[in-house]
Amino acid sequence: MIPKLPANIDQIKGFLADDEALALYRYALQASANGPVLEVGSYCGKSTIYLGLACREHNGTVYALDHHRGSEEHQAGEMFHDPDLFDSSLGLVDTLREFRNNIRAANLDDTVVPLVSSSAVVARQWCTPLAMVFIDGGHSLDAALCDYRCWSAHLMQGAILAVHDLFPDPHKGGQAPWAIYQMALQSGLFEELERVNTLGVLRRL
């Protein structure tokens, strides 16, 4: 199932492969019939658009959580730093403007609710059960553990937990997303549905 995508989707900055993006759309389309979707780590909005297009089919909502200051690997001097997203006047990465422009261009302002903060802050008083959570935030172990612990508890029964950038082989990528994915499986609270490229998909039992 392929959604009608914005004409500029391939030009939107991001690190999501096409097969991963379509899998996100497919699972969000199912999940959003039951409740809202929350994404951790929106960057410039590419994954958010796929989630948003799915949720719009059910008049649903995507909560797009990101502090928009970039993950560790996006900072100046790091491997994935993008100078176009660096605010030299502040000396900080700032992806919020690009994100909002992309969401507006995709006509998803009524579907996507930006949450400009961290998991720890937003989850502190969060009460809404979630039908799907997509974790693609900071890739340090502390950041990934925080995202998992903050949001896995808010998944309703049967909800989807998707985690991006899974690399079982440490020579191919960072291990923090893989660690929380394994933690979820070992908890006995989740079953694995499938792996698509570096995207893992679990269901809350």
Side-chain angles (χ1 to χ4, degrees):
M1 184 177 297
I2 301 176
K4 184 177 180 181
L5 298 168
N8 71 331
I9 191 70
D10 291 332
Q11 282 72 56
I12 295 175
K13 298 175 188 289
F15 308 96
L16 195 68
D18 290 346
D19 55 353
E20 297 168 341
L22 291 176
L24 280 181
Y25 175 84
R26 177 162 45 91
Y27 281 103
L29 188 62
Q30 298 170 11
S32 59
N34 301 316
V37 172
L38 184 138
E39 170 185 58
V40 183
S42 302
Y43 196 51
C44 295
K46 188 168 191 174
S47 57
T48 322
I49 288 171
Y50 281 88
L51 295 170
L53 290 173
C55 289
R56 190 169 64 184
E57 293 296 313
H58 295 112
N59 196 30
T61 300
V62 179
Y63 294 104
L65 171 60
D66 197 312
H67 47 55
H68 288 286
R69 293 305 187 191
S71 300
E72 300 83 357
E73 64 270 21
H74 300 144
Q75 304 308 313
E78 297 299 323
M79 182 181 297
F80 294 105
H81 177 67
D82 185 339
D84 291 341
L85 300 174
F86 188 75
D87 187 334
S88 56
S89 66
L90 296 175
L92 296 168
V93 172
D94 186 358
T95 58
L96 181 58
R97 181 188 295 271
E98 184 106 355
F99 169 82
R100 296 205 69 152
N101 287 342
N102 289 331
I103 296 304
R104 175 156 295 179
N107 296 313
L108 289 171
D109 278 339
D110 292 336
T111 301
V112 174
V113 178
L115 302 173
V116 185
S117 191
S118 66
S119 278
V121 172
V122 175
R124 211 157 46 198
Q125 298 186 48
W126 188 271
C127 299
T128 303
L130 298 166
M132 178 174 175
V133 168
F134 172 46
I135 296 179
D136 192 21
H139 285 17
S140 70
L141 186 57
D142 284 347
L145 282 172
C146 179
D147 292 338
Y148 172 70
R149 289 168 174 162
C150 282
W151 299 111
S152 60
H154 294 289
L155 286 166
M156 60 181 65
Q157 187 175 13
I160 297 298
L161 174 62
V163 182
H164 192 222
D165 288 333
L166 300 182
F167 294 101
D169 182 349
H171 296 99
K172 294 183 178 179
Q175 292 299 284
W178 180 246
I180 64 168
Y181 192 75
Q182 292 303 306
M183 183 181 296
L185 281 173
Q186 292 164 14
S187 73
L189 298 174
F190 295 90
E191 63 175 351
E192 186 173 49
L193 297 180
E194 67 171 318
R195 296 264 302 281
V196 178
N197 204 333
T198 73
L199 178 73
V201 183
L202 306 171
R203 176 185 286 127
R204 176 72 161 82
L205 298 172

